[in-house]
Amino acid sequence: MDVNEGRLRILGETAKSHQVAGLITAIYSDLRVFAETKEVKYDKLLLDAPCSGIGVLSKLNMPGGFLIYSTCSIDPEENQGRVEAFLLRHPEFSVDPVDRLVPSSFVTSQGVFLSNPVKHSLDGAFAARLVRAL
Ligand SMILES: C[S@@+](CC[C@H](N)C(=O)[O-])C[C@H]1O[C@@H](n2cnc3c(N)ncnc32)[C@H](O)[C@@H]1O
């Protein structure tokens, strides 16, 4: 399933070229709408969700360059959790604290930006400034 018709077309063409077109059912739909309106049940689901691409983006960063990872989420798993996982895989990067760049009430103990709807009366957002070693 995909909301992007072009991606489904490419999937269809690829499946055809590999002689597996008959095994695939492509559904052009928004998953949120589909899940609310259809009664179907599956025993296995794989969600290949849109992501920031941070894993491949890092390859484009020159030594000494910065990589900003940002979300519009306040969920620690989508924020600091992802940053920590990334830093474990990429020891050439470290957090460059943002305390000299934004007001201190937005800076977490990890040195990253976090706005909170309750604390700041703003939409929630997260941004970590990472720097690649020289
Ligand atoms: C990481 S890509 C994976 C696509 C596919 N699995 C592949 O490998 O080419 C994420 C896909 O989710 C689709 N998408 C985003 N929001 C969606 C939604 N609400 N319902 C269905 N598909 C969605 C995007 O169009 C995009 O093609």
Side-chain angles (χ1 to χ4, degrees):
M1 177 181 308
D2 207 301
V3 279
N4 184 327
E5 224 173 351
R7 275 185 177 270
L8 292 178
R9 198 188 56 249
I10 293 166
L11 171 69
E13 287 163 4
T14 308
K16 212 167 163 185
S17 72
H18 290 278
Q19 286 94 44
V20 292
L23 300 177
I24 290 173
T25 306
I27 303 171
Y28 172 48
S29 175
D30 185 315
L31 173 64
R32 294 161 297 184
V33 176
F34 188 87
E36 289 299 326
T37 55
K38 305 288 180 202
E39 288 298 323
V40 288
K41 295 277 179 231
Y42 302 94
D43 64 340
K44 293 187 182 70
L45 291 166
L46 168 68
L47 177 67
D48 188 5
C51 66
S52 64
I54 192 169
V56 290
L57 206 58
S58 66
K59 293 185 185 136
L60 301 174
N61 235 175
M62 60 172 69
F66 295 97
L67 173 59
I68 312 293
Y69 174 68
S70 135
T71 73
C72 50
S73 167
I74 57 167
D75 181 346
E77 226 178 285
E78 293 180 289
N79 294 334
Q80 196 62 30
R82 300 282 52 78
V83 169
E84 279 161 21
F86 175 79
L87 292 176
L88 278 179
R89 291 194 311 274
H90 295 276
E92 72 276 22
F93 281 87
S94 59
V95 173
D96 186 36
V98 295
D99 48 358
R100 66 194 187 288
L101 303 171
V102 298
S104 58
S105 74
F106 292 96
V107 184
T108 72
S109 56
Q110 288 91 14
V112 303
F113 171 94
L114 183 68
S115 65
N116 184 299
V118 175
K119 185 175 170 191
H120 302 106
S121 299
L122 285 173
D123 284 345
F126 172 92
R129 182 178 155 101
L130 309 178
V131 59
R132 185 174 189 152
L134 286 170

